[in-house]
Amino acid sequence: MIERIVPAGTETAEAYGDLPEATLFPEEELIVKSAVAKRRGEFTTARHCARQALTRLGAPAGAILTGERGAPQWPEGVVGSITHCDGYRAAVVARPALVTSIGIDAEPALPLPSGVLDAVALADEQVAIKELLASMPQVPWDRLLFSAKESVYKAWFPLMRRFLEFEGARLVFDPAGGTFTAHLLAGPAIAGSRTLHTFDGRWLSENGIVLTSVTVPA
């Protein structure tokens, strides 16, 4: 699924549950040494997916540690993103000559718990999401908004090295095209010599999973 919403030239891997062959490096074991079994399984299989993607890219597939705010630490010359949720784990990697930054997020295709939409969405986003839920109820638009904001953050953080609040971006969805635009209200993102006021994203809702991606091309 994930390969359908990321650019050509990236490498991906995914799994629909924990894989018995997935293992961790000792350095990675330390990250989840106190984690519950569910968290440990998701982390382990997501790292396994990341190493599969790195191998396909021709990059070193060693330990992937966590850095500031839990961001994956990729090998030199690689950008990427990892996600996992109930029933799904995935990773995407690319070379900086193709992609400056990328973020992916997966969520179960279920409505958000009560009150969460109010906490993560701007007033005009809430109106738009409620209209979409009324016209296209087969898509969990509230959960999709949450996922898209997570992908925006994952693409934003490697560029800006600072937190982006949920209200720091206003999202506008194209229901027919499977795309969305994130207007960066917290200020522009700096990507090399470029100043970006928007990020472009893609979305997919299928097989009980909501997937989103945001790519900043090189």
Side-chain angles (χ1 to χ4, degrees):
M1 287 171 61
I2 192 66
E3 75 280 357
R4 292 160 56 188
I5 61 167
V6 295
T10 59
E11 295 293 346
T12 66
E14 62 188 358
Y16 290 86
D18 291 331
L19 301 175
E21 67 269 27
T23 58
L24 294 176
F25 282 77
E27 309 96 302
E28 296 170 325
E29 291 273 5
L30 294 175
I31 299 171
V32 290
K33 65 179 181 180
S34 301
V36 299
K38 179 177 181 296
R39 158 69 175 157
R40 181 182 178 85
E42 290 176 344
F43 181 92
T44 302
T45 298
R47 258 32 186 200
H48 178 81
C49 290
R51 280 187 270 279
Q52 287 183 311
L54 286 167
T55 298
R56 292 166 186 164
L57 191 69
I64 304 167
L65 303 182
T66 54
E68 189 178 359
R69 293 193 175 273
Q73 300 299 286
W74 299 103
E76 185 72 23
V78 175
V79 296
S81 187
I82 295 173
T83 188
H84 51 77
C85 71
D86 285 347
Y88 189 78
R89 300 87 171 89
V92 56
V93 294
R95 294 295 186 182
L98 175 71
V99 171
T100 298
S101 187
I102 191 166
I104 61 170
D105 186 72
E107 301 287 338
L110 299 170
L112 286 175
S114 177
V116 175
L117 182 63
D118 292 343
V120 303
L122 300 165
D124 54 347
E125 289 176 327
Q126 293 181 42
V127 171
I129 290 301
K130 289 172 183 176
E131 290 175 350
L132 287 167
L133 285 168
S135 62
M136 299 179 64
Q138 70 274 21
V139 176
W141 292 102
D142 52 348
R143 184 75 68 163
L144 189 61
L145 175 77
F146 180 89
S147 177
K149 291 209 172 190
E150 290 290 318
S151 286
V152 168
Y153 172 72
K154 290 180 180 181
W156 159 278
F157 185 77
L159 301 177
M160 304 304 293
R161 312 307 300 181
R162 59 187 173 90
F163 191 67
L164 181 69
E165 301 286 353
F166 283 115
E167 64 267 25
R170 176 184 290 112
L171 272 57
V172 179
F173 286 93
D174 176 357
T179 63
F180 63 90
T181 301
H183 300 269
L184 301 175
L185 305 183
I190 308 302
S193 61
R194 294 172 294 155
T195 301
L196 305 177
H197 296 275
T198 61
F199 282 166
D200 294 323
R202 298 171 67 183
W203 64 269
L204 182 66
S205 180
E206 201 171 283
N207 298 330
I209 302 294
V210 163
L211 282 176
T212 60
S213 70
V214 169
T215 303
V216 179

